[in-house]
Amino acid sequence: MIEKRIAEILRSAQPDESVTVKGWVRTKRELKGFSFIEVNDGSSMASLQVVINEDVPDYQELIKKANTGASVEFDGVIVASQGKGQRIEVKAKSILVYGEADPETYPLQKKRHSFEFLRTIGHLRSRTNSFGAVFRVRNACATAIHEFFQQRGFMWVHTPIITGSDCEGAGEMFHVTNFDLNKIPRTKDNAIDYSQDFFAKPTYLTVSGQLEAEVMAMAFSNVYTFGPTFRAENSNTSRHLAEFWMVEPEMAFCDLKEDMDLAEAFLKYIFNYVMEKCPEDMEFFNQRIDNTVLATAENIINNQFERITYTEAVKLLEKADVEFEYPVSWGTDLQSEHERYLCEQLFKKPTIITNYPAQIKAFYMRLDEDEKTVSAMDIVAPKIGEIIGGSQREERLDVLQKRILAQGMKEEELSWYLDLRRFGTVPHAGFGLGFERVVQFMTGMGNIRDVIPFPRTPQSADF
């Protein structure tokens, strides 16, 4: 007997082939003398229909146990299906029920549940069609990311989750401590005595692996990170998570144009890969979640991204016959409404905005010749806004030192980072992609909490 995943059986199994099927019951229909059971093992959107005749050993007893949610195993033979919409089904020879599910209390019955309700049962929601599709697409996205970089000779590096530096200067970081919070040691002037803490100084959960990725790029040329990052931003919105995954490539001997070229090719590759690997899931999203999902994917894959400077963007926004909630003026950061106007209404495709004012960007971004702007870029996409942010990094030691001082940072705390400019500095660049953002964008899901298995948000750290 050959054990196969249901996706493979539905794709290639032929009549008279013997198979073993394992999974969870989606539905059961009992008729006189036989029953139909739909089984799903998570490998595909579609379930496999199993037909069980009453001559199967212990039929009555086992059918009573095989309710929706129960885990089961069937040995049987593939037969041509008599029903509509399915090529084959399994005629069972034996049934094994691993674990029962009480039909009175099992929360996932054959009806549509709201995403709000499903968030309350995060331990079971992956068994639904919607979340099965989301997490298959998430898996395909992750695979595509690794394939894209590995094919181009990038090294995957693991940057620290616990850090002593604040890469973005955001200040919204989770503290890491080994102190007994009821007995925090104090200095003579009543400040927290970090010398007695585990790391002997203030430490945090990382907001980015970029600075450490720069270290590795100065030895291996092209590297990328792919791991969890954290923001202690008390923002209860459909766009924010306290724990999320970031992809951050860093390239030595690379300028802003090459950085943009790679980022555009990267997004196209991910979308194309998912369209090829998860066509049924993407069709489901297009039918049930957002009927523009497939068109959006085609727009990403088949269009050259628009490229404009921040200064050009501000001029276009000032001319726009739209009343924005936030006024537009040179020197202020672009809001989501501004980004979406540019890529949705004006250009109708993803747009790369470059050369932002230095005062609104991070210290490590390369200062342009005008000394007013930096060689930064953001990719903004229809329906979601910013999806990638990146820059050419400041490789000139004297300029970087001035930028650090201007932003009130302590040079001695970044001595190791400055050493990269002292010892063999090179032009280099990189970008960051919020992984959940791209999964949300790709699937059309309205809330970012629904594209990560166990969302971490303000006042919520369940499971």
Side-chain angles (χ1 to χ4, degrees):
M1 199 70 71
I2 301 171
E3 183 180 332
K4 292 182 177 180
R5 298 299 298 276
I6 286 173
E8 186 182 355
I9 292 172
L10 292 170
R11 182 171 57 248
S12 60
Q14 299 299 319
D16 299 326
E17 188 178 326
S18 295
V19 291
T20 296
V21 179
K22 297 178 182 179
W24 290 266
V25 175
R26 284 288 178 88
T27 63
K28 177 179 71 172
R29 281 191 297 142
E30 292 184 68
L31 303 170
K32 189 175 182 180
F34 64 98
S35 297
F36 292 112
I37 288 183
E38 294 268 340
V39 184
N40 192 286
D41 64 359
S43 63
S44 70
M45 172 67 66
S47 298
L48 179 62
Q49 181 166 283
V50 181
V51 185
I52 311 102
N53 290 326
E54 62 182 353
D55 58 1
V56 168
D58 302 318
Y59 172 82
Q60 294 292 346
E61 178 189 347
L62 291 169
I63 283 296
K64 282 181 182 177
K65 294 179 178 180
N67 296 303
T68 299
S71 52
V72 291
E73 175 183 324
F74 295 99
D75 287 337
V77 177
I78 300 291
V79 296
S81 179
Q82 304 301 310
K84 289 183 178 180
Q86 55 199 24
R87 181 179 66 90
I88 56 170
E89 58 193 23
V90 173
K91 185 177 181 181
K93 292 183 176 179
S94 67
I95 317 170
L96 173 62
V97 177
Y98 284 101
E100 297 181 53
D102 182 352
E104 298 298 319
T105 57
Y106 183 62
L108 295 174
Q109 295 302 320
K110 193 179 181 182
K111 64 176 183 177
R112 296 188 78 165
H113 300 282
S114 72
F115 291 138
E116 289 79 7
F117 167 71
L118 291 173
R119 276 178 225 132
T120 69
I121 53 167
H123 53 303
L124 296 171
R125 69 176 182 168
S126 296
R127 299 189 195 181
T128 65
N129 283 338
S130 295
F131 286 96
V134 165
F135 296 133
R136 281 188 295 272
V137 166
R138 184 183 171 101
N139 172 67
C141 283
T143 304
I145 286 164
H146 285 298
E147 284 195 7
F148 177 85
F149 288 119
Q150 293 295 328
Q151 288 171 8
R152 286 162 176 75
F154 280 66
M155 176 183 284
W156 181 23
V157 298
H158 302 110
T159 52
I161 287 174
I162 298 174
T163 179
S165 64
D166 179 358
C167 173
E168 299 292 338
E172 295 167 331
M173 304 177 76
F174 288 103
H175 287 252
V176 175
T177 182
N178 197 39
F179 284 149
D180 178 345
L181 298 185
N182 294 311
K183 301 175 184 176
I184 297 176
R186 300 277 177 176
T187 62
K188 289 180 180 179
D189 56 2
N190 205 37
I192 295 173
D193 187 1
Y194 283 105
S195 67
Q196 297 186 48
D197 205 355
F198 190 91
F199 294 107
K201 67 175 187 177
T203 51
Y204 314 91
L205 295 180
T206 185
V207 299
S208 169
Q210 181 210 308
L211 301 188
E212 293 87 353
E214 285 187 56
V215 170
M216 301 302 281
M218 294 302 104
F220 299 100
S221 297
N222 293 333
V223 303
Y224 70 103
T225 75
F226 187 5
T229 51
F230 308 84
R231 292 280 170 91
E233 186 177 357
N234 191 14
S235 187
N236 237 323
T237 76
S238 62
R239 291 166 50 87
H240 291 90
L241 292 167
E243 176 184 293
F244 54 98
W245 286 62
M246 284 283 287
V247 183
E248 296 175 296
E250 199 70 32
M251 295 79 69
F253 310 101
C254 180
D255 62 18
L256 182 63
K257 181 184 180 303
E258 293 166 312
D259 196 30
M260 290 190 286
D261 291 344
L262 187 83
E264 180 171 344
F266 177 56
L267 275 181
K268 289 177 185 291
Y269 186 93
I270 297 171
F271 272 83
N272 195 58
Y273 185 94
V274 171
M275 290 290 282
E276 288 182 359
K277 299 294 183 182
C278 303
E280 292 175 351
D281 296 318
M282 293 300 288
E283 184 62 45
F284 171 84
F285 292 124
N286 204 67
Q287 289 180 3
R288 298 290 186 89
I289 305 298
D290 179 348
N291 63 9
T292 67
V293 160
L294 296 180
T296 298
E298 293 297 332
N299 189 10
I300 295 277
I301 295 165
N302 297 321
N303 276 311
Q304 290 295 312
F305 294 5
E306 190 71 31
R307 298 187 183 192
I308 59 169
T309 66
Y310 167 90
T311 301
E312 290 167 340
V314 168
K315 289 177 181 176
L316 290 169
L317 290 163
E318 287 174 337
K319 290 178 185 176
D321 189 21
V322 176
E323 193 168 324
F324 294 115
E325 181 181 352
Y326 295 94
V328 182
S329 62
W330 201 97
T332 59
D333 210 354
L334 299 182
Q335 301 297 318
S336 180
E337 61 174 341
H338 306 141
E339 296 167 342
R340 291 187 62 174
Y341 169 79
L342 292 168
C343 62
E344 289 176 13
Q345 297 185 48
L346 200 59
F347 299 120
K348 295 181 168 55
K349 61 180 178 178
T351 302
I352 308 180
I353 305 169
T354 64
N355 305 98
Y356 285 79
Q359 71 261 26
I360 62 171
K361 288 296 182 181
F363 73 94
Y364 53 74
M365 296 184 178
R366 194 182 201 277
L367 195 63
D368 292 331
E369 289 183 7
D370 64 9
E371 297 191 354
K372 294 180 180 178
T373 61
V374 288
S375 296
M377 66 95 177
D378 286 342
I379 299 183
V380 297
K383 295 191 297 180
I384 199 166
E386 183 189 339
I387 196 167
I388 279 179
S391 72
Q392 185 172 338
R393 317 310 189 189
E394 184 56 77
E395 86 279 11
R396 298 164 296 185
L397 176 62
D398 59 334
V399 179
L400 184 58
Q401 287 172 319
K402 289 176 185 175
R403 294 271 284 150
I404 288 171
L405 289 173
Q407 295 204 14
M409 303 174 73
K410 295 179 180 177
E411 190 175 316
E412 58 269 23
E413 291 180 2
L414 287 166
S415 60
W416 60 272
Y417 189 67
L418 292 168
D419 276 354
L420 300 178
R421 279 73 180 168
R422 293 187 180 100
F423 309 129
T425 188
V426 297
H428 61 290
F431 60 82
L433 168 80
F435 184 55
E436 283 74 24
R437 281 277 178 92
V438 78
V439 177
Q440 185 184 7
F441 179 40
M442 189 173 288
T443 59
M445 295 294 283
N447 195 312
I448 202 165
R449 301 172 197 206
D450 296 330
V451 297
I452 188 169
F454 306 104
R456 298 289 180 254
T457 56
Q459 301 182 23
S460 178
D462 297 330
F463 311 107

